[in-house]
Amino acid sequence: MFDSLLAQGSACRDAADAAANIVEQTDIATLTAAPNGATAPDVVAVFDHLLTGLQHHLAVSAADAVGAHARSAAFWARSFVSSRAK
């Protein structure tokens, strides 16, 4: 899995973001299943904190991707309008 994600992420920024999201989602699935049977409060707390951090990171990555696409679209729109005005 590592080699295929590394190859995928090396193609371009969007591919790197997609590969990173796969890693985050895989980690979330693993951590969600991991504490089954764990009873020590400190162990459960660690899993909860790691899971929360991964979920926040995934949400920020998704928001950043949306923002980057919006900024790119705005840049190209300004460039097009500017070139048409000449």
Side-chain angles (χ1 to χ4, degrees), residues 4 8 12 14 19 26 30 39 45 52 54-55 62 65 68 72 75 81 85:
S4 66
Q8 175 187 339
C12 66
D14 287 341
T26 301
T30 301
T39 56
T52 299
L54 286 167
Q55 290 167 334
S72 177
F75 169 79
V81 169

Side-chain angles (χ1 to χ4, degrees), residues 14-70:
D14 287 341
D17 289 341
N21 282 341
I22 291 169
V23 171
E24 296 287 347
Q25 291 169 357
T26 301
D27 288 348
I28 288 170
T30 301
L31 279 173
T32 300
N36 292 342
T39 56
D42 53 344
V43 173
V44 173
V46 168
F47 280 117
D48 286 345
H49 287 268
L50 288 171
L51 183 59
T52 299
L54 286 167
Q55 290 167 334
H56 287 188
H57 189 255
L58 188 61
V60 167
S61 295
D64 183 47
V66 169
H69 290 295

